């Protein structure tokens, strides 16, 4: 099994790679990884949840960590349905939204053993 680590900065993607970023529910991709998603990978303004362009949006700006969990669970289900794609998860929620890696990484525990999900450095270790 090859468990991948997402690079700190992603400037290009292969055709089978998906940029997974933290968004807001309104899909206003004005800063951080959301801006990168919009400018480089086709994330559409107004789409704040799910597939958009060569990306997948997970909203992180609507409240506490528990409000993010259902969207992460939905993402993991989507990734399971698309084993042909490699999902490059960025440090969602750990920039503009203000969460820490230790708060967000546990939401991705179920993704830790999935070969088609690349997680930020240290997230697998946080999940033990």
């Amino acid at each position: 099994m090859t468990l991948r680590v997402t690079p700190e900065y992603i400037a290009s993607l292969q055709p089978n790679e998906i940029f997974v970023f933290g968004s807001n529910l309104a899909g206003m991709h004005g800063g951080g990884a959301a801006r990168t998603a919009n400018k480089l990978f086709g994330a559409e303004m107004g789409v704040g949840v799910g597939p958009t362009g060569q990306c997948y949006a997970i909203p992180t700006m609507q409240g506490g960590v528990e409000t993010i969990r259902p969207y992460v669970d939905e993402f993991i289900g989507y990734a399971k349905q698309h084993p042909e794609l490699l999902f490059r998860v960025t440090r969602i929620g750990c920039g503009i939204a203000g969460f820490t890696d230790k708060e967000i990484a546990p939401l991705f525990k179920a993704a830790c053993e999935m070969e088609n999900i690349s997680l930020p450095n240290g997230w697998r270790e946080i999940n033990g």
Side-chain angles (χ1 to χ4, degrees):
M1 180 179 336
T2 302
L3 299 177
R4 298 172 174 90
V5 174
T6 302
E8 185 125 351
Y9 182 77
I10 299 172
S12 64
L13 294 170
Q14 295 298 314
N16 70 320
E17 293 180 321
I18 304 297
F19 186 82
V20 182
F21 68 100
S23 66
N24 56 60
L25 287 168
M28 300 313 298
H29 309 310
R35 181 175 171 82
T36 300
N38 173 256
K39 297 297 180 195
L40 297 183
F41 308 123
E44 300 170 58
M45 288 291 190
V47 180
V49 182
T52 177
Q54 195 174 350
C55 305
Y56 191 99
I58 299 176
T60 61
M61 303 286 289
Q62 67 280 349
V65 172
E66 287 306 312
T67 69
I68 301 169
R69 181 179 304 279
Y71 297 107
V72 172
D73 292 344
E74 185 177 313
F75 159 70
I76 292 170
Y78 183 84
K80 284 179 181 175
Q81 293 173 351
H82 295 279
E84 75 283 4
L85 300 175
L86 174 59
F87 296 89
R88 298 281 190 187
V89 177
T90 63
R91 292 178 61 236
I92 71 150
C94 298
I96 296 167
F99 297 103
T100 66
D101 292 301
K102 288 185 179 182
E103 290 172 308
I104 298 296
L107 300 178
F108 287 85
K109 187 172 180 77
C112 285
E113 301 305 318
M114 293 179 63
E115 291 185 43
N116 69 328
I117 295 180
S118 171
L119 294 173
N121 190 35
W123 282 24
R124 284 188 175 82
E125 292 77 9
I126 289 170
N127 282 304

